Amino acid sequence: KNHILSSSTYFIFLVFRVFSSSKELCSCEDDYMFYVTRELEGVRKADVTFALSHVDQMTLHRVQQENHDNEKNGNNRIKEVHVHVPPLRNDFYRQCYQMPTSHPTSSIPDVEQRKRKYVLCNVRLSPEKNALLFATIMKELSDQGTLETLNLIPLMIGSICDEEYAKLVYDTLPPETLIVNTFLSSQDMITYLHQTVLMIHPALYDAYGMTIAEAAAVGVPSLIHHENIGASSLFQNGEIIMCDMTSLQVMMECVKCHLKEEEKMTEIAEKARRKALSWNVEEYARGLEQILGKHLPGQNEKV
C-alpha cells in the first residue's frame, strides 16, 4: 500500500504482456476495456515503464493517446514506455555457447554444418498462437511433394492448452509429422533445434516470442508475421524472415523459397545466432541499469 512506501521508493512497471494488444481475443468490449484501464493505470502510476518489444510499446502509447484525447481536462501527460527485450535463460545460453567456432577472433560459435531435417513450429496449442496455420502450410507442402523432395519433416512442439483446437491442428498436419506435446528440458529442445532448418512462428501477434531467440541461438532462422512479433525488436533484417501470414499463398511461396535456398538460410542463421548470443542476462541487466539511472531522479550512483 502507498502509505508504507518511503518517498525514495520507485514504482517500476515491467509489462510482460499487453493484453490490450490482442483485442480480437477479448470476448466483449467490457473485457477489452478492463485490460485498457488496468494497463493505463499501471503506466500512469509508474516512475518507469518497460515493455518487452516495440509492438507493446506502440500499444501502450496508443492507449495513452486515446485516453488523453478523450479526457476533458487532459491533465495526464503521455509517459514514455521503454523497450527492453528479455535475454536467453542462463542454462540455455551456456549450452548454446558450447558449440565450436572456426573464427579465432570470435567467441561466438558457428552454425553447425550438419544435415537438418525438420521444419518446426514451437507454440502452445491454443487459437492465439495460430498453430493451425503451420499445419495447413505443412499439409499443402506435403501434398505438393515439396517436403519429400527436400527430405524435410514437420515437427510440431507445444503443450495442449485447448484440446479441441489441438485436435484440429493434429488432424490437419500431414501424417509424417513428428508431434511432441510433453515437457522438454533445455538440452532436449536444443537437440531438436540442431536438426531444424526453419522455425515457423505462426502467431499474428506475440509480445515477444522467446522460442524465436532460442532457435536463433542454435542457428535456426525463424519466419514471423511482419513486425507484429516482439522478437523483431532484437532481430532485424537479415537476422529473421518476415512475411504476410494473413495470406496463405504469400506464406506458402515464402516458405518454399527459403527452404530451397540453403546458402541464404545459412547466412540468416549465422547472423541470427550471433545476435541471440550477444544479448545475455549480463547485457540485459547492464541496459536496465542505464535506463533506470537516466530516468529516476538522483539514481545515477544508486542503481
Side-chain angles (χ1 to χ4, degrees), residues 86 88-89 92 120-124 129 157-158 189 193 199-202 206 208-218 220-222 224 229 231 235 240 276:
L88 289 168
R89 299 196 318 269
F92 201 96
L120 167 67
C121 179
N122 182 13
V123 297
R124 66 178 177 269
K129 292 298 184 179
I157 297 178
M189 190 69 244
L193 288 170
M199 187 175 82
I200 297 175
H201 192 79
D206 208 327
Y208 189 67
M210 183 55 76
T211 55
I212 295 169
E214 291 173 345
V218 190
V220 179
S222 290
I224 66 172
I229 307 302
F235 299 98
I240 201 164

Side-chain angles (χ1 to χ4, degrees), residues 26-84:
C26 297
S27 59
C28 62
E29 186 68 16
D30 285 347
D31 285 355
Y32 172 67
M33 289 310 301
F34 169 83
Y35 291 123
V36 168
T37 301
R38 294 296 176 267
E39 289 164 357
L40 185 62
E41 182 182 20
V43 173
R44 285 177 171 173
K45 287 185 175 180
D47 295 288
V48 182
T49 297
F50 290 97
L52 291 188
S53 68
H54 68 281
V55 179
D56 284 347
Q57 178 195 47
M58 289 189 294
T59 298
L60 290 174
H61 281 158
R62 175 181 56 78
V63 166
Q64 289 187 83
Q65 184 65 60
E66 289 174 354
N67 280 269
H68 182 272
D69 294 344
N70 291 334
E71 289 174 340
K72 292 181 179 179
N73 55 23
N75 288 333
N76 286 303
R77 65 183 179 87
I78 296 174
K79 299 176 73 173
E80 184 176 3
V81 176
H82 303 275
V83 174
H84 203 54

